[in-house]
Amino acid sequence: MKIGDVKLFCKTCNKEIPLSVFQKTGMMGLHDQFKFIDDTCVSCRKEEDKLTGESEGERRVGMDDEITGTPI
Ligand SMILES: [Zn+2]
């Protein structure tokens, strides 16, 4: 399997989720240090957060801080 072939698609909107090389090699089993990768894209996760309320949102804000820039 080539790194370029490793793809993940959002389970909600079916859009391809961009993965870092590190995540891809982890999914290929080359190392076991990769973090769990959400199978929904960033925009769907934001929608989910709105729907599921703050407790769920807060848990994910830590990870998305740099992207959203809206820590609580
Ligand atoms: Zn999505």
Side-chain angles (χ1 to χ4, degrees), residues 13-70:
C13 70
N14 245 11
K15 218 167 67 177
E16 187 180 341
I17 300 171
L19 296 171
S20 69
V21 171
F22 185 69
Q23 287 171 322
K24 287 183 178 185
T25 54
M27 286 175 78
M28 290 165 74
L30 296 183
H31 60 80
D32 54 8
Q33 293 171 14
F34 78 104
K35 287 190 288 187
F36 172 77
I37 303 166
D38 269 314
D39 52 1
T40 48
C41 68
V42 174
S43 48
C44 286
R45 258 183 278 154
K46 281 182 189 163
E47 288 300 311
E48 248 179 51
D49 285 349
K50 278 185 215 157
L51 297 173
T52 52
E54 291 192 2
S55 58
E56 184 81 2
E58 276 175 27
R59 255 200 306 136
R60 289 175 172 173
V61 162
M63 273 173 56
D64 291 343
D65 260 358
E66 287 179 8
I67 300 165
T68 62
T70 53

